[in-house]
Amino acid sequence: MLDFGLRRTNVEVVAKRAGVSRATVYRRFETKDALIQAVLVRESHRFYTVIAEAVSTLPTVAERLVEGFVVGVRHARTEPLMNRLLATDPEALLPYLTTHGYAVVAASRDFLVWQGEQVAGKLLPVENRDPAGVAEIFVRLAISFTLTPQTCIPFDSDEDIRRFATSYLAVLIRDA
């Protein structure tokens, strides 16, 4: 997919690269869409691993979410496959991140809640804000900033992103 994009990648190309037959690929993935979703899930796991490693030593939920947002935005902006697909096949990729992107949003949201629970145990609502809802706001903003990087908000450096996340996002999870 990195070499050919989404539209030009087909099961035959994948099978040839993997050194297996088309039938073998179709036994694992019923459709090309299922294959694409599997690749996106794999890339999501890599993405979560990068974030988890970056925040593993931070002591508070707020610090982990802020730094996770910084690392996530940076990684999404520099990740080769995502950038290739956004540049050459946006109409093929965008549904997986927007109108048909609930699986990506849900998995990312659940990962953020899990990260918070690694520090604080079971997360409870703060001022009637459900932790899953707050995590979903983080995810949806990260996707938005990735898909539309032009902004009036200073977002040129990790420090800019960290300042934004601290000022506008971390306040959603702090105790009163």
Side-chain angles (χ1 to χ4, degrees), residues 87-107:
T88 62
D89 291 325
E91 67 285 344
L93 176 64
L94 289 177
Y96 293 101
L97 298 174
T98 58
T99 56
H100 296 100
Y102 184 74
V104 170
V105 171

Side-chain angles (χ1 to χ4, degrees), residues 6-17:
L6 288 180
R7 286 179 294 175
R8 291 183 28 223
T9 296
N10 58 44
V11 173
E12 190 169 321
V13 169
V14 172
K16 185 175 180 180
R17 284 276 177 102

Side-chain angles (χ1 to χ4, degrees), residues 23-163:
T24 300
V25 174
Y26 275 119
R27 276 195 289 278
R28 290 252 352 238
F29 308 100
E30 290 183 19
T31 64
K32 178 181 171 182
D33 188 56
L35 177 63
I36 292 169
Q37 288 180 353
V39 169
L40 293 175
V41 167
R42 183 196 68 196
E43 292 304 309
S44 294
H45 285 289
R46 288 180 179 172
F47 178 73
Y48 301 145
T49 300
V50 168
I51 292 173
E53 289 172 359
V55 303
S56 65
T57 61
L58 298 175
T60 70
V61 174
E63 288 172 306
R64 282 182 176 220
L65 289 175
V66 165
E67 195 60 25
F69 187 82
V70 171
V71 171
V73 169
R74 179 186 347 112
H75 183 80
R77 287 180 169 181
T78 60
E79 201 281 319
L81 180 60
M82 174 73 77
N83 285 293
R84 161 72 154 99
L85 298 178
L86 282 173
T88 62
D89 291 325
E91 67 285 344
L93 176 64
L94 289 177
Y96 293 101
L97 298 174
T98 58
T99 56
H100 296 100
Y102 184 74
V104 170
V105 171
S108 300
R109 175 200 62 223
D110 294 347
F111 168 76
L112 289 179
V113 170
W114 175 80
Q115 274 295 311
E117 290 175 344
Q118 298 307 298
V119 174
K122 178 73 176 150
L123 296 177
L124 301 173
V126 174
E127 298 177 359
N128 297 320
R129 291 187 296 263
D130 178 45
V134 172
E136 189 163 313
I137 290 169
F138 272 62
V139 171
R140 289 179 181 272
L141 281 171
I143 290 170
S144 177
F145 281 120
T146 299
L147 296 178
T148 312
Q150 301 80 15
T151 176
C152 69
I153 300 167
F155 244 52
D156 298 322
S157 68
D158 284 0
E159 195 50 47
D160 288 339
I161 298 167
R162 191 172 291 108
R163 196 172 11 265

